[in-house]
Amino acid sequence: MKYIDPHIHMVSRTTDDYQNMALAGCAAITEPAFWAGYDRASSEGFADYFHQLTEIEPKRAARYGIAHHSWLCINPKEAEDLGLARDVLAMIPGFLECPNVLGIGEIGLNKNSRNELTILEEHIGLAAEHHQLILVHTPHLEDKLKGTLLIMDALERNGAIKPERVLIDHVEEHTVAAVLDRGYWAGMTLYPDTKCTPQRAVDIIEIYGSERLWVNSAGDWGPCDPLSVPKFRMEMSARGHDAKIIQHITYDNPLAFLSQSPRFRVDG
């Protein structure tokens, strides 16, 4: 049974992870631009990173039959430097025609600061101007609900963004209803200790249903598990959920959202 991991940072992962994901049934992945663990000193560093996302990683993934796609942005943690952020924003249109780019992401908020919100709104404007899908990062800790509401307000102030073309990621028990009620897609990130464990994600599915919801590993350089989507499927099966529902959440839903971009494919 095939699955899609719609949020994983393979630049931080080994080739063994590609092999293990392929053996577990991974057909396609999408890789948002993110924080590298340190603040980059110049826009040239982002140009190299965007080259890696659009040229290098698709070739690594293809060796294992996995289709690779990417999203471009400057992440919220580095958006405090408005000059750097605007230099990066200016270079993004030059990469949007790359064949594996699906849209703008993962944009959003980290500390819900004024500068972060300014750059978020400029990213939203860029997505609207170029008719791109949007992938959103929401804050990690106690400000998650406040940040999620601020992000949705910013999307709606733009006036040109349709909610069905936006995926708001890292939802948890206290934010998922607000996201779904306003018409957006919602993503649950499966981490061993933070965000949602596979067990908590199944609990959310049992409460809120399976429409406009997906799961992802968000695997990066921190504590995470690139095989967490297959483990979520095992948890669903162990609780007696039908195979069609499991396939709906881990393959059909990401396929439906991502296929709004003509560049998305599952034939790696």
Side-chain angles (χ1 to χ4, degrees):
M1 188 181 292
K2 292 184 176 180
Y3 73 93
I4 296 169
D5 190 338
H7 184 152
I8 186 166
H9 302 288
M10 294 307 294
V11 298
S12 302
R13 306 303 309 183
T14 68
T15 300
D16 286 346
D17 290 326
Y18 273 121
Q19 183 178 43
N20 291 332
M21 292 168 67
L23 288 170
C26 185
I29 61 175
T30 87
E31 178 160 4
F34 82 137
W35 188 58
Y38 64 94
D39 291 348
R40 281 158 279 213
S42 70
S43 59
E44 286 78 9
F46 283 88
D48 290 341
Y49 178 42
F50 293 165
H51 173 72
Q52 188 175 11
L53 291 177
T54 57
E55 297 286 342
I56 307 302
E57 287 305 323
K59 294 176 182 174
R60 276 219 304 163
R63 291 183 60 192
Y64 297 93
I66 297 174
H68 179 283
H69 311 81
S70 61
W71 307 77
L72 305 177
C73 74
I74 179 169
N75 66 88
K77 283 191 175 185
E78 290 170 285
E80 285 293 347
D81 183 338
L82 294 179
L84 172 65
R86 286 174 173 147
D87 286 345
V88 175
L89 277 161
M91 75 168 66
I92 289 175
F95 287 90
L96 291 179
E97 294 305 315
C98 294
N100 77 325
V101 174
L102 301 180
I104 303 299
E106 54 183 304
I107 59 173
L109 299 172
N110 180 47
K111 296 181 178 177
N112 299 336
S113 72
R114 185 180 298 276
N115 283 1
E116 289 176 7
L117 186 59
T118 295
I119 296 304
L120 169 64
E121 290 174 331
E122 293 182 19
H123 274 114
I124 294 169
L126 184 66
E129 179 182 354
H130 294 274
H131 194 56
Q132 297 292 308
L133 296 174
I134 293 176
L135 181 64
V136 171
H137 165 94
T138 51
H140 290 277
L141 301 175
E142 66 272 14
D143 285 337
K144 180 179 283 290
L145 178 59
K146 177 183 177 182
T148 301
L149 297 175
L150 287 170
I151 290 165
M152 292 191 291
D153 290 345
L155 287 162
E156 289 156 22
R157 275 197 303 276
N158 178 276
I161 302 295
K162 296 180 179 178
E164 62 267 27
R165 291 178 58 81
V166 179
L167 185 293
I168 296 181
D169 214 344
H170 314 323
V171 301
E172 297 180 23
E173 291 87 345
H174 62 303
T175 59
V176 62
V179 170
L180 294 174
D181 287 348
R182 290 169 72 159
Y184 298 99
W185 285 74
M188 294 182 288
T189 293
L190 309 170
Y191 273 180
D193 302 314
T194 61
K195 299 186 173 69
C196 285
T197 62
Q199 291 76 21
R200 284 173 56 197
V202 178
D203 291 344
I204 290 173
I205 292 291
E206 292 174 347
I207 295 171
Y208 294 99
S210 61
E211 295 306 312
R212 285 184 287 118
L213 272 166
W214 77 26
V215 293
N216 60 73
S217 70
D220 58 14
W221 39 263
C224 61
D225 182 356
L227 295 180
S228 60
V229 176
K231 291 176 181 176
F232 165 86
R233 293 161 64 113
M234 292 174 63
E235 178 69 17
M236 289 282 289
S237 181
R239 295 196 195 185
H241 290 283
D242 187 271
K244 289 183 179 178
I245 296 296
I246 301 172
Q247 191 72 355
H248 185 65
I249 297 164
T250 60
Y251 188 86
D252 298 341
N253 276 356
L255 179 67
F257 177 80
L258 298 167
S259 293
Q260 295 180 86
S261 168
R263 295 196 178 99
F264 184 74
R265 58 187 176 81
V266 292
D267 56 331

